Amino acid sequence: AAVAVPNALEHLRGGIRAASRMLAADIEIYRVLHAMGRLDPGSVGGAVDKMDAERRGGMRYLAKRLKEDGVLRDDVTQAQAADLLWVLTSFEAFDMLHTDRGMSVDRAADVIATTAERALCR
């Protein structure tokens, strides 16, 4: 529901908030999955690769929506937007803000969304 909105910026904000809440609900599990995915990719049965593939597709779609809505900065391509969204929406980015910096889930999500908007949008 967070991404099924008519406005691309609302999609960006709502999607990041929803994903952050999802990650926070099972943060220890995601931390183990991501660590094992790096150390021994076969050990988690491709779960991390599957999650990353879905997120990659979602970020490409969001970048396309931002472009179509005319909110991307002139000096940012759709591909560049997808790349930056990919980095900002990673588990690692969320975990560093939430766990390492002690931010609430909502604060971490807002920092990620605001950073994306400021970097990518007019």
Side-chain angles (χ1 to χ4, degrees):
V3 300
V5 294
N7 181 290
L9 285 176
E10 289 176 31
H11 174 169
L12 181 145
R13 294 177 196 126
I16 289 172
R17 283 188 195 104
S20 296
R21 289 182 186 122
M22 178 195 71
L23 292 172
D26 293 308
I27 198 162
E28 296 300 329
I29 293 168
Y30 284 107
R31 193 174 289 129
V32 169
L33 282 174
H34 282 268
M36 290 304 298
R38 295 268 187 222
L39 294 171
D40 183 7
S43 67
V44 291
V48 174
D49 289 342
K50 183 177 186 293
M51 289 185 297
D52 283 347
E54 290 172 2
R55 186 168 57 86
R56 186 177 302 109
M59 294 309 98
R60 286 184 187 139
Y61 177 68
L62 176 54
K64 180 179 181 238
R65 289 200 64 201
L66 292 168
K67 175 77 172 173
E68 289 172 351
D69 278 12
V71 296
L72 280 185
R73 291 185 0 207
D74 292 336
D75 62 337
V76 176
T77 67
Q78 185 175 320
Q80 290 169 326
D83 289 343
L84 183 61
L85 289 166
W86 169 255
V87 170
L88 291 174
T89 61
S90 67
F91 170 75
E92 292 82 2
F94 171 77
D95 193 33
M96 283 191 281
L97 292 172
H98 178 58
T99 303
D100 298 344
R101 301 293 294 161
M103 292 182 189
S104 70
V105 173
D106 289 337
R107 176 73 181 126
D110 287 344
V111 167
I112 294 167
T114 299
T115 301
E117 281 188 60
R118 289 180 180 167
L120 300 174
C121 301
R122 300 173 192 269

